[in-house]
């Protein structure tokens, strides 16, 4: 709503605010996929604004909706890992993995989570799986980082691949030293 308000679109700002209030009060139709998308966006906004109590409430509501929806569990897990909530993200991502087909997003999310939880062996395996789906420079970077934490020489190879795919990857260049 604030974004629309700052852009001068009062109609959209008012509609977004009304939708937000409905979601917050639990009055919106909870069966519509748009509700989950709106709650995901709202939760992300709360995290970015450092409104952690509001974020927690939204995560609780999303978790309730995600009980029956493994795709929503994946999305919520990814949102949580992006916001440093690794233990909660891991539960959701591992649960989603049991019901969803393997994918880049799932493997990358699990790898990122394992890395944040200082579980580099599992992180490396997940990033290797992610790379099988998509030769992504970030996946190679984090694979290199996981290998580096394991003191594994394969870290150099993964980091070189990361900079080959994205020469602007300052983090990969830095780890290559």
């Amino acid at each position: 709503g604030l974004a629309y308000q700052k852009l001068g679109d009062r109609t959209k700002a008012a509609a977004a605010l009304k939708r937000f209030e409905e979601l917050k009060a639990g009055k919106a139709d909870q069966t519509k996929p748009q509700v989950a998308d709106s709650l995901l966006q709202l939760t992300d906004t709360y995290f970015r604004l450092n409104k952690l109590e509001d974020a927690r409430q939204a995560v609780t509501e999303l978790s309730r909706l995600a009980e029956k929806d493994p795709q929503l569990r994946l999305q919520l897990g990814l949102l949580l890992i992006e916001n440093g909530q690794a233990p909660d993200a891991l539960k959701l991502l591992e649960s989603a993995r049991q019901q969803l087909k393997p994918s880049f997003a799932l493997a990358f999310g699990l790898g990122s989570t394992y890395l944040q939880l200082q579980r580099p062996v599992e992180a490396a395996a997940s990033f290797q799986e992610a790379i099988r789906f998509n030769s992504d420079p970030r996946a190679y970077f984090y694979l290199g980082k996981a290998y580096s934490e394991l003191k594994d020489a394969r870290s150099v190879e993964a980091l070189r691949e990361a900079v080959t795919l994205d020469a602007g990857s300052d983090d990969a260049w830095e780890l290559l030293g």
Side-chain angles (χ1 to χ4, degrees):
L2 290 175
Y4 291 124
Q5 188 175 9
K6 287 184 179 182
L7 292 173
D9 193 333
R10 293 186 185 274
T11 305
K12 286 185 179 178
L17 182 60
K18 180 181 177 195
R19 183 84 175 134
F20 164 74
E21 292 300 329
E22 287 175 353
L23 288 169
K24 197 167 182 181
K27 293 179 182 174
D29 179 2
Q30 300 286 315
T31 60
K32 294 183 179 178
Q34 302 94 310
V35 170
D37 289 340
S38 296
L39 274 173
L40 282 166
Q41 291 174 7
L42 180 63
T43 304
D44 189 40
T45 301
Y46 283 147
F47 276 121
R48 292 180 194 283
L49 295 174
N50 207 27
K51 293 186 169 199
L52 300 182
E53 185 53 39
D54 290 330
R56 273 284 134 217
Q57 289 176 3
V59 166
T60 299
E61 182 60 25
L62 278 165
S63 295
R64 189 184 65 73
L65 293 173
E67 287 175 2
K68 299 174 185 152
D69 185 349
Q71 188 63 41
L72 181 55
R73 267 179 273 162
L74 169 61
Q75 291 174 299
L76 180 55
L78 294 173
L79 176 67
L80 290 174
I81 195 60
E82 287 175 13
N83 289 286
Q85 307 293 313
D88 293 331
L90 183 61
K91 292 175 196 167
L92 290 163
L93 293 171
E94 285 183 339
S95 173
R97 178 173 53 184
Q98 294 173 4
Q99 293 181 297
L100 293 175
K101 293 188 324 186
S103 67
F104 175 82
L106 183 56
F108 189 87
L110 281 166
S112 299
T113 304
Y114 291 135
L115 205 54
Q116 279 192 21
L117 292 171
Q118 299 176 350
R119 294 166 58 177
V121 171
E122 292 150 304
S126 293
F127 288 123
Q128 287 171 340
E129 181 180 353
I131 288 166
R132 284 193 290 273
F133 288 103
N134 182 4
S135 186
D136 183 274
R138 295 170 308 145
Y140 278 104
F141 168 72
Y142 289 118
L143 176 61
K145 191 171 180 181
Y147 282 150
S148 178
E149 289 181 18
L150 293 168
K151 309 282 190 247
D152 186 321
R154 291 179 289 180
S155 65
V156 173
E157 181 182 325
L159 292 168
R160 281 185 183 152
E161 188 62 27
V163 297
T164 298
L165 293 170
D166 179 10
S169 178
D170 294 335
D171 292 334
W173 282 111
E174 187 177 315
L175 270 180
L176 275 169

